[in-house]
């Protein structure tokens, strides 16, 4: 495993897609900071969580190309010939993908902190809240890496794996929007009043005629929080109400995807 990791990280130094991931991350950080300069009432917390909504696409492209090259160049077959186990090969590619993706998230956060604090001030969330955000962010990134590594390791054609990974990200993006609409439905319609100081007060409330029902909302929220992109939306919006459920869902997803992936790859016939 150690030799596989060393070889993989050595490959990164000369890999174009790795450096593209880095530069896109830097560009996204700069673009996000610049965009929020014109947003009234913008604050640092929102900017810190912005990247999680898009990193899934960057990971899909990186993993499907970087890992997919091993099939096209015969690297996986050579690894098996020299005695490396399939489990080690699968997990080493997963670990490299996770390290690179977390590194890019860290680069984004460092840039936003260094430039964002002078422009937008300190974070409004507490240290404990920030720790929860970091935990869930890391788990979402690991979930993305697990899913895309699974697809790429069981698919021998790099063009097919790239297409599947990108389409899957789009599908998760659409799913989180559709499920989120139901999961975040309000049971009541609130009529509010805002005073001259900007404080909002509820005057009265009435039942929402379009409310789908408690059971449907519960089911939709369960699915919504199980989809990595749904969790990304919760993190981006700063909603920490369901962070425990998000954590458990991510751990279950990561374990199941990788166990199934290892089992399938162990029996896969290599050409």
């Amino acid at each position: 495993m150690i030799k596989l990791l060393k070889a993989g990280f050595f490959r990164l130094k000369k890999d174009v897609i790795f450096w593209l991931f880095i530069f896109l991350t830097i560009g996204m950080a700069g673009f996000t900071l610049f965009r929020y300069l014109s947003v009234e009432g913008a604050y640092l917390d929102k900017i810190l969580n912005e990247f999680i909504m898009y990193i899934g696409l960057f990971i899909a492209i990186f993993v499907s190309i970087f890992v997919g090259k091993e099939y096209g160049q015969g690297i996986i077959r050579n690894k098996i010939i020299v005695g490396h186990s399939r489990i080690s090969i699968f997990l080493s590619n997963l670990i490299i993908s996770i390290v690179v993706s977390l590194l890019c998230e860290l680069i984004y956060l460092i840039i936003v902190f260094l430039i964002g604090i002078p422009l937008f001030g300190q974070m409004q969330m507490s240290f404990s809240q920030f720790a929860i955000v970091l935990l869930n962010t890391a788990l979402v990134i690991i979930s993305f890496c697990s899913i895309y590594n699974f697809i790429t390791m069981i698919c021998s054609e790099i063009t097919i794996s790239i297409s599947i990974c990108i389409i899957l990200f789009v599908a998760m993006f659409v799913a989180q929007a559709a499920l989120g609409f139901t999961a975040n439905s309000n049971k009541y319609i609130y009529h509010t009043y805002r005073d001259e100081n900007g404080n909002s007060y509820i005057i009265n409330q009435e039942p929402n005629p379009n409310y789908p029902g408690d059971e449907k909302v519960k089911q939709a929220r369960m699915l919504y929080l199980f989809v990595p992109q749904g969790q990304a939306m919760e993190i981006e919006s700063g909603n920490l109400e369901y962070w425990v459920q998000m954590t458990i869902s991510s751990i279950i997803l990561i374990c199941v995807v990788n166990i199934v992936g290892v089992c399938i790859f162990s029996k896969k016939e290599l050409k």
Side-chain angles (χ1 to χ4, degrees):
M1 174 74 82
I2 300 298
K3 290 182 179 179
L4 289 173
L5 290 174
K6 286 182 178 179
F9 286 120
F10 180 79
R11 267 210 308 143
L12 283 175
K13 296 179 182 180
K14 299 180 180 180
D15 193 86
V16 175
I17 196 67
F18 165 70
W19 291 107
L20 180 61
F21 195 177
I22 297 290
F23 292 137
L24 283 174
T25 299
I26 296 171
M28 181 61 72
F31 173 77
T32 304
L33 286 165
F34 177 78
R35 182 165 61 88
Y36 273 92
L37 283 175
S38 59
V39 177
E40 185 178 352
Y43 54 98
L44 188 64
D45 300 34
K46 178 72 173 176
I47 304 171
L48 285 171
N49 298 334
E50 187 85 5
F51 190 44
I52 192 64
M53 285 298 296
Y54 310 101
I55 196 172
L57 177 59
F58 296 161
I59 296 173
I61 297 171
F62 168 76
V63 173
S64 59
I65 295 177
F66 180 78
V67 177
K69 283 181 182 178
E70 296 205 343
Y71 276 114
Q73 299 174 0
I75 297 174
I76 288 182
R77 186 172 53 192
N78 292 337
K79 287 179 178 178
I80 294 175
I81 291 173
V82 298
H84 294 293
S85 69
R86 295 196 180 207
I87 294 177
S88 296
I89 295 170
F90 185 97
L91 294 180
S92 63
N93 283 330
L94 173 64
I95 292 171
I96 292 170
S97 299
I98 291 172
V99 170
V100 170
S101 301
L102 291 176
L103 172 64
C104 287
E105 175 66 24
L106 180 61
I107 290 172
Y108 176 87
L109 291 176
I110 291 173
I111 293 173
V112 170
F113 269 123
L114 291 177
I115 301 176
I117 290 178
L119 294 175
F120 303 99
Q122 297 287 340
M123 289 190 306
Q124 296 182 6
M125 70 177 103
S126 64
F127 178 79
S128 60
Q129 290 174 324
F130 183 58
I132 292 172
V133 169
L134 286 181
L135 170 64
N136 285 118
T137 297
L139 287 173
V140 168
I141 289 173
I142 295 172
S143 297
F144 279 129
C145 292
S146 299
I147 293 170
Y148 298 137
N149 185 66
F150 165 81
I151 293 170
T152 308
M153 290 299 293
I154 65 173
C155 183
S156 303
E157 296 292 332
I158 186 171
T159 52
I160 295 176
S161 60
I162 293 172
S163 301
I164 293 175
C165 288
I166 293 176
I167 291 172
L168 183 59
F169 172 79
V170 174
M172 286 192 288
F173 202 96
V174 173
Q176 65 86 15
L179 291 169
F181 181 79
T182 301
N184 297 317
S185 297
N186 290 319
K187 195 169 186 177
Y188 299 98
I189 298 175
Y190 298 98
H191 299 278
T192 61
Y193 163 75
R194 190 178 298 274
D195 62 20
E196 57 186 12
N197 296 321
N199 299 316
S200 183
Y201 304 93
I202 297 176
I203 302 175
N204 59 12
Q205 63 183 37
E206 59 184 57
N208 183 358
N210 298 318
Y211 184 68
D214 293 341
E215 192 61 31
K216 286 186 177 180
V217 169
K218 184 179 179 180
Q219 292 172 358
R221 183 175 294 117
M222 185 181 301
L223 292 172
Y224 174 71
L225 295 177
F226 192 76
V227 177
Q229 196 62 29
Q231 295 188 27
M233 175 60 77
E234 290 295 285
I235 294 170
E236 192 271 341
S237 64
N239 184 10
L240 303 178
E241 181 179 357
Y242 304 104
W243 75 270
V244 174
Q245 186 175 341
M246 289 165 58
T247 301
I248 295 172
S249 297
S250 290
I251 293 173
I252 292 173
L253 178 64
I254 291 165
C255 292
V256 170
V257 168
N258 288 304
I259 291 172
V260 173
V262 167
C263 292
I264 295 177
F265 181 66
S266 296
K267 299 176 181 179
K268 180 178 174 60
E269 183 179 349
L270 300 177
K271 298 179 181 179

